[in-house]
Amino acid sequence: MTARPEDIRNAAWAACDTFRGAIDADQYRHYVLVMLFLKYISDQWESHAADYRKKYKDMPEAARELRVQRDMGRERFALPEVTLYDKDDAPIDRFLGSFQSLYERRQADNIGELVNITLDAIEKANEQKLPGVLRNVDFNSESNLGSTKERNRRIKQLLEDFNKPELDLRKVGEDIIGDAYIYLIERFATEGGKKAGEFFTPRKVSELVAKLARPEPGDTICDPACGSASLLLRAGEEVGTSNFRLFGQESNAQTLGLAKMNMFLHGMDSASLVRCNTLTDPGLLQGDALMRFDIVVANPPFSLDKWGAEEVKDDRWHRFTRGIPPKSRGDYAFILHMLAIAKPGEGRIAVVVPHGVLFRGGAEGRIRESIVRDNLLDAVIGLPAQLFPTTGIPVCILVFDRARESGGLREHERDVLFVDASRDFKPGKRQNQLREEDLQRIVDTCRERREIPRYSHLADLAEIEGNGFNLNIPRYVDTYEPEAEIDLQAVQIRIEDLEQQLAETRKQMNRYLKELGIDVRG
């Protein structure tokens, strides 16, 4: 029986119980997600091999196995044979590098080492697709998983959890397994605290960013701070067809591994994700120049300290000609990089930033003024507080459009749309959420560039200049709602009426007390 999506999600999340309380969520998420990926490719291998054997069932066994082996050589992911040797290099065990083989050996005293060996063999057998994806996680780590006895117990339990019928992934499509993977990442982010959440953008926020960026068929889409790549995938889904290319950069090796698995589980094998420091050593290059993209989206680290200001003074790609942001706040460093990699005259950008980007002075103020004067800023959208597991502060989305610069199709448009959507959300105990109607209202307002009282405003350059290029949303969207006028005469009449009712009530009470023989004085 094919596993149901909700069963897969619940069973995979339950597998985390093996680690809870023993190691932090930002560590154990890697073990669970790698195991889910291994289980998926192993179950798919097993399912396809069974289908081929059924297809060639009328052939002699030896010939049938040769045909199966030939056809399995075209599998999306190869599962190699693993051979173990003793200290004298004599083979002592040989098995297919798969989840099922590890499950059969779950009682082994060196099960952590066996998992590592298997993952390493799978990486090498798929060196064009999986380099650095699986072996960034050490299943034999004493510092993470404890003593040998504890480590063996946890890995054995993890293998048993993933061998449950609810996690039979042999007939599961990419849409279901991809959704389960995203579900796990989101749960880690919302329940795992700051460290576990710093690599993920909440689903509705990702969807909003993607819709504001407006990717179209044929577009190249880049996230220069891609984390687990969930935002990048949302931007791709927004296209509505499979005619697009995804690119990403991420500095953390383990997080990049999660991102690549995320892509594979969504069928995005052609995505190009590279490990690099986006600000000091970008990795997506075309010859000696930065690659340019139709769409750029990102939720970069907020106000990143020590981002590399000293290293970019002589930036070879000339990204910081408007100025170098403060070394203790990298927000504008990411913005300037995104502007540099968007295609001139047509590239569109949507980025999540803290509100300080709108009004801080000094170098940031000068950079902000330069960007606005060059007519690159399209919209500023303020969002509610507590949308992110990593911070309770409200954030905003900045939309830039290089079609507004000189020579672009929108160069005649000189106003900036300000939207205050901070009051529209579904409250939550730990985290607020954007509702579908909240998201749609923002998108419709931005696409139609509508002015709505106490919600949105179109500001021209003169107005922004008059505010000293301070983009703080309350300067442009007045959300003050005057209190209703009080009719003092009506209030006085109401007071007199209440006093009369009180006097009558007291008289009645006194009569009751007298009837009960209680002395009433006065």
Side-chain angles (χ1 to χ4, degrees):
M1 183 179 73
T2 303
R4 298 182 305 170
E6 58 270 28
D7 293 336
I8 294 173
R9 294 195 296 264
N10 294 336
W13 181 245
C16 300
D17 290 339
T18 299
F19 301 102
R20 288 191 183 99
I23 61 176
D24 292 336
D26 65 310
Q27 287 292 333
Y28 71 66
R29 71 170 186 253
H30 296 287
Y31 295 101
V32 173
L33 293 171
V34 166
M35 191 60 69
L36 178 63
F37 183 77
L38 175 62
K39 182 66 161 61
Y40 177 68
I41 63 175
S42 299
D43 281 4
Q44 293 287 299
W45 178 280
E46 185 178 317
S47 174
H48 295 168
D51 289 343
Y52 287 132
R53 288 190 175 95
K54 184 177 180 180
K55 178 180 179 180
Y56 304 125
K57 60 182 173 57
D58 295 331
M59 297 177 65
E61 182 178 355
R64 181 180 67 239
E65 289 305 309
L66 281 174
R67 292 293 295 272
V68 170
Q69 186 177 358
R70 183 202 67 182
D71 289 354
M72 291 301 291
R74 296 193 290 266
E75 280 293 286
R76 185 177 170 205
F77 295 103
L79 295 187
E81 187 176 81
V82 176
T83 304
L84 303 181
Y85 300 88
D86 63 16
K87 61 181 181 180
D88 297 320
D89 289 333
I92 55 174
D93 194 9
R94 184 175 286 113
F95 55 89
L96 179 68
S98 69
F99 172 87
Q100 192 59 36
S101 296
L102 291 172
Y103 175 76
E104 291 166 359
R105 290 160 177 77
R106 64 191 181 280
Q107 302 283 4
D109 291 337
N110 64 334
I111 185 60
E113 182 183 13
L114 293 182
V115 175
N116 283 350
I117 290 171
T118 299
L119 295 178
D120 185 59
I122 293 173
E123 269 204 14
K124 288 177 179 175
N126 300 272
E127 58 183 357
Q128 297 301 315
K129 286 187 173 183
L130 298 178
V133 173
L134 302 176
R135 285 296 290 114
N136 283 313
V137 184
D138 185 1
F139 279 80
N140 205 36
S141 169
E142 183 172 344
S143 60
N144 283 342
L145 300 178
S147 64
T148 301
K149 181 179 179 180
E150 277 299 292
R151 187 161 65 247
N152 289 345
R153 181 186 67 80
R154 290 192 177 110
I155 296 174
K156 173 178 173 289
Q157 184 62 56
L158 187 64
L159 289 166
E160 289 177 347
D161 285 339
F162 273 90
N163 196 56
K164 292 177 180 177
E166 297 90 337
L167 283 169
D168 181 351
L169 307 178
R170 284 175 293 183
K171 298 298 181 182
V172 170
E174 288 167 351
D175 55 338
I176 294 176
I177 189 64
D179 179 69
Y181 192 86
I182 290 281
Y183 170 82
L184 284 177
I185 290 177
E186 190 167 16
R187 288 294 298 269
F188 283 126
T190 55
E191 299 196 12
K194 187 176 190 321
K195 287 185 178 180
E198 63 191 5
F199 62 97
F200 179 77
T201 305
R203 189 175 297 233
K204 279 296 179 187
V205 177
S206 292
E207 189 177 339
L208 176 58
V209 170
K211 288 182 180 298
L212 292 172
R214 299 209 307 262
E216 297 178 347
D219 278 351
T220 53
I221 306 169
C222 177
D223 184 342
C226 69
S228 61
S230 299
L231 171 56
L232 191 53
L233 282 165
R234 292 279 172 224
E237 289 173 4
E238 186 62 24
V239 174
T241 74
S242 59
N243 183 18
F244 59 86
R245 288 284 310 279
L246 299 180
F247 299 81
Q249 297 180 158
E250 171 56 43
S251 61
N252 183 284
Q254 285 189 325
T255 303
L256 182 66
L258 298 184
K260 288 185 175 182
M261 285 189 287
N262 204 1
M263 287 294 171
F264 291 135
L265 292 176
H266 283 85
M268 300 294 174
D269 293 24
S270 64
S272 178
L273 306 183
V274 299
R275 184 187 177 193
C276 66
N277 185 316
T278 291
L279 301 180
T280 60
D281 189 24
L284 290 171
L285 304 174
Q286 199 160 27
D288 237 2
L290 294 170
M291 286 185 70
R292 302 292 185 92
F293 306 94
D294 300 290
I295 299 294
V296 185
V297 294
N299 173 27
F302 294 165
S303 301
L304 183 64
D305 189 16
K306 300 176 183 176
W307 59 270
E310 295 295 327
E311 299 176 50
V312 301
K313 287 183 176 177
D314 298 313
D315 181 53
R316 59 184 288 200
W317 294 286
H318 310 292
R319 294 170 294 171
F320 304 102
T321 55
R322 300 177 191 274
I324 297 178
K327 62 182 180 181
S328 61
R329 290 192 295 268
D331 302 307
Y332 270 101
F334 282 105
I335 290 172
L336 291 174
H337 174 80
M338 295 173 77
L339 286 169
I341 65 173
K343 288 183 178 179
E346 57 183 299
R348 193 166 172 84
I349 301 159
V351 56
V352 182
V353 293
H355 275 265
V357 165
L358 304 178
F359 55 79
R360 291 193 297 247
E364 292 180 297
R366 292 188 291 274
I367 294 169
R368 184 170 59 246
E369 177 179 345
S370 174
I371 292 172
V372 174
R373 285 194 182 280
D374 283 350
N375 198 34
L376 294 172
L377 182 62
D378 197 40
V380 179
I381 300 101
L383 299 180
Q386 288 185 262
L387 289 179
F388 289 76
T390 53
T391 178
I393 66 170
V395 300
C396 60
I397 298 174
L398 299 184
V399 180
F400 302 93
D401 193 346
R402 295 201 62 174
R404 292 171 58 115
E405 63 190 359
S406 179
L409 291 175
R410 297 182 63 203
E411 67 173 325
H412 60 285
E413 297 183 37
R414 307 293 298 180
D415 50 23
V416 176
L417 179 67
F418 289 84
V419 178
D420 185 349
S422 61
R423 295 165 295 171
D424 299 341
F425 60 92
K426 177 184 177 182
K429 182 179 291 187
R430 296 174 57 184
Q431 192 175 338
N432 297 326
Q433 292 182 333
L434 288 176
R435 298 164 297 194
E436 182 61 32
E437 60 265 32
D438 304 327
L439 184 150
Q440 200 56 52
R441 187 185 187 195
I442 295 170
V443 172
D444 290 344
T445 302
C446 290
R447 290 187 177 175
E448 297 169 21
R449 298 190 74 77
R450 285 189 292 171
E451 287 202 280
I452 302 172
R454 293 185 292 278
Y455 186 75
S456 63
H457 173 65
L458 283 167
D460 59 22
L461 180 60
E463 184 177 358
I464 297 173
E465 193 170 16
N467 280 316
F469 293 91
N470 184 322
L471 303 178
N472 207 15
I473 297 172
R475 288 177 175 258
Y476 303 92
V477 181
D478 183 5
T479 58
Y480 174 74
E481 296 189 27
E483 295 182 11
E485 291 187 5
I486 299 175
D487 186 339
L488 293 178
Q489 184 176 1
V491 171
Q492 182 61 32
I493 293 172
R494 178 62 175 154
I495 291 173
E496 291 173 356
D497 182 52
L498 290 172
E499 288 176 341
Q500 184 177 353
Q501 291 180 36
L502 180 60
E504 290 295 328
T505 301
R506 281 174 175 164
K507 286 179 182 180
Q508 189 174 10
M509 182 70 106
N510 287 340
R511 285 196 300 270
Y512 292 149
L513 292 172
K514 283 181 180 180
E515 290 174 3
L516 293 171
I518 299 173
D519 183 28
V520 180
R521 297 182 182 275

